[in-house]
C-alpha cells in the first residue's frame, strides 16, 4: 500500500470515512468507506490530556459523542478533548448517527451502529492498513485552543504513530495551519504533505504550497477553477479538493485534472467510462 499523488485516475478519499452513511471519524465509518469503493479516507486528529492522538473533527466533544449525557463530563465543563485522558474518553460513544446528513431528506437518529469508541490514531491506522486504505491525516489547528505546551507536540505525536506502524508511504499529512505542514516536512521529509485552504482562498496556491515544501494543495472546491488546477498541476503539485458531494461536480473536477477528491459520498462517485 503506497500513496501516489499522480495515479492514472483521481483517488477517492472518504471524508471522515463515509460520513453520509456512518458516524464520522470512527472505525465503522472507515469500513463503510472501504465497502463503498474509496481508495482512502480523511480523518481528523486532536490530542488527549495525556498526549494521545485521537480522531475528532470539532474542538469539543458535544456534536459527535454522547458526552452531554455523562455526569462526569457535565460536571467538568467544557467538554474539550484535551482536558481529559484517553481512559476518561473511553466511556464515550461516537456512534450516534444523525440521519439528516449531506442533503439527505431523512431525519432522526440511527442507533444501529452500536457503541463506537473515539478511536486513537493508532487504532485507525492499524485498521486502515488491514483494509489496504490510504489515509489523509488532517491535524486540526489547535494552536489557539489547546494549551501551548500540549499543542506544540501535536505534529510530533502524530508522526510518531505513523512511524511506529511503518505507514510513512500510506499517508499524507494535511492541515489548515501552515506551520504544522512545514513542521511535518521538516521532521519527516519522506511523508507527503498537503496545505488545506478554505473555499474563499484567493492567494497564489503554487507559492503557498511551495513555500512549505509541501506536495499538494487541498482547497475547498466551491470556487475552484480549471485554471487554478492547471497552474498547480503544471508546478508538479497535486490537487485534492474537499468536500465534493455532487456527482456532476465530481466529474467536472476529474475532467479538469484533480489528483483526488474528498467526499462524504464515495458511494456516489461517477464511474469512469
Amino acid at each position: 500500500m503506497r500513496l501516489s499523488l499522480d495515479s492514472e485516475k483521481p483517488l477517492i478519499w472518504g471524508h471522515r470515512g463515509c460520513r453520509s452513511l456512518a458516524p464520522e471519524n470512527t472505525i465503522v465509518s472507515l469500513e463503510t468507506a472501504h465497502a463503498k469503493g474509496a481508495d482512502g479516507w480523511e480523518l481528523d486528529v486532536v490530542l488527549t490530556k495525556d498526549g494521545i492522538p485521537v480522531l475528532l473533527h470539532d474542538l469539543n466533544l458535544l456534536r459527535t459523542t454522547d458526552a452531554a449525557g455523562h455526569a462526569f463530563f457535565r460536571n467538568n465543563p467544557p467538554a474539550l478533548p484535551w482536558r481529559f485522558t484517553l481512559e476518561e474518553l473511553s466511556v464515550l460513544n461516537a456512534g450516534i448517527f444523525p440521519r439528516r446528513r449531506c442533503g439527505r431528506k431523512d431525519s432522526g437518529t440511527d442507533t444501529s451502529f452500536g457503541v463506537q469508541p473515539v478511536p486513537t490514531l493508532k487504532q485507525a491506522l492499524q485498521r486502515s492498513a488491514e483494509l489496504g486504505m490510504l489515509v489523509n491525516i488532517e491535524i486540526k489547528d489547535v494552536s489557539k485552543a489547546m494549551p501551548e505546551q500540549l499543542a506544540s507536540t501535536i505534529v510530533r505525536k502524530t508522526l510518531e504513530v505513523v512511524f511506529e506502524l511503518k505507514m510513512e508511504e500510506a499517508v499524507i499529512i494535511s492541515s489548515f495551519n501552515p506551520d504544522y505542514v512545514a513542521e511535518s516536512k521538516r521532521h519527516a521529509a519522506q511523508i507527503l504533505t498537503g496545505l488545506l485552504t478554505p473555499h474563499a482562498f484567493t492567494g497564489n496556491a503554487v507559492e503557498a504550497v511551495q513555500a512549505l515544501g509541501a506536495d499538494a494543495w487541498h482547497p475547498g472546491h466551491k470556487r475552484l477553477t480549471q485554471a487554478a488546477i492547471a497552474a498547480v498541476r503544471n508546478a508538479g503539485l497535486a490537487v485534492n479538493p474537499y468536500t465534493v458531494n455532487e456527482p456532476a461536480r465530481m466529474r467536472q473536477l476529474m475532467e479538469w485534472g484533480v489528483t483526488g477528491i474528498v467526499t462524504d459520498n464515495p458511494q456516489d462517485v461517477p464511474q469512469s467510462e
Side-chain angles (χ1 to χ4, degrees):
M1 181 176 59
R2 186 177 187 278
L3 173 59
S4 170
L5 294 181
D6 196 22
S7 56
E8 291 185 5
K9 63 177 184 176
L11 295 172
I12 303 303
W13 299 92
H15 186 223
R16 307 179 206 166
C18 185
R19 73 184 293 261
S20 61
L21 299 177
E24 66 182 63
N25 278 321
T26 61
I27 299 300
V28 72
S29 196
L30 155 65
E31 293 169 342
T32 304
H34 176 261
K36 296 302 179 182
D39 302 294
W41 69 310
E42 182 266 0
L43 55 81
D44 304 286
V45 169
V46 297
L47 293 179
T48 64
K49 183 177 181 179
D50 42 348
I52 308 299
V54 295
L55 274 54
L56 188 74
H57 174 269
D58 299 358
L59 298 184
N60 67 65
L61 298 158
L62 299 177
R63 180 179 65 87
T64 57
T65 79
D66 61 348
H70 286 265
F72 174 73
F73 291 94
R74 287 199 308 270
N75 295 334
N76 292 278
L80 306 174
W82 49 86
R83 296 187 63 248
F84 304 97
T85 66
L86 179 61
E87 182 179 4
E88 289 167 337
L89 294 181
S90 68
V91 303
L92 295 176
N93 180 13
I96 300 172
F97 179 67
R99 287 197 183 99
R100 187 177 290 276
R101 274 281 165 81
C102 312
R104 309 291 176 177
K105 294 182 179 179
D106 51 338
S107 60
T109 301
D110 185 345
T111 58
S112 64
F113 296 98
V115 175
Q116 295 290 323
V118 176
T120 65
L121 177 61
K122 183 175 181 178
Q123 291 167 336
L125 292 187
Q126 286 173 323
R127 186 61 178 137
S128 299
E130 290 170 356
L131 294 173
M133 288 282 275
L134 303 168
V135 189
N136 176 355
I137 303 173
E138 179 186 342
I139 302 179
K140 301 302 293 183
D141 185 1
V142 295
S143 58
K144 296 179 181 178
M146 188 182 292
E148 197 279 332
Q149 186 175 2
L150 189 59
S152 64
T153 70
I154 192 167
V155 174
R156 176 173 59 83
K157 294 284 188 180
T158 299
L159 292 174
E160 285 175 355
V161 177
V162 174
F163 281 118
E164 178 186 354
L165 298 179
K166 302 186 184 336
M167 291 187 67
E168 299 96 314
E169 294 186 343
V171 307
I172 180 168
I173 304 291
S174 62
S175 184
F176 281 99
N177 185 325
D179 292 337
Y180 292 174
V181 177
E183 182 181 351
S184 178
K185 208 64 176 175
R186 205 162 50 242
H187 293 300
Q190 71 274 43
I191 295 179
L192 295 170
T193 56
L195 174 65
L196 279 156
T197 59
H199 290 278
F201 177 76
T202 58
N204 185 308
V206 173
E207 291 180 359
V209 174
Q210 288 181 337
L212 303 174
D215 306 281
W217 180 34
H218 292 184
H221 81 91
K222 293 180 181 178
R223 299 185 185 179
L224 187 58
T225 64
Q226 187 173 11
I229 292 169
V232 174
R233 297 293 290 121
N234 288 338
L237 303 168
V239 184
N240 303 311
Y242 70 90
T243 303
V244 192
N245 289 335
E246 295 299 325
R249 181 60 166 164
M250 295 179 193
R251 187 180 297 278
Q252 181 183 54
L253 291 171
M254 291 176 177
E255 291 173 351
W256 286 355
V258 298
T259 51
I261 283 179
V262 180
T263 178
D264 292 321
N265 305 327
Q267 71 276 13
D268 293 340
V269 173
Q271 298 301 309
S272 56
E273 299 177 357

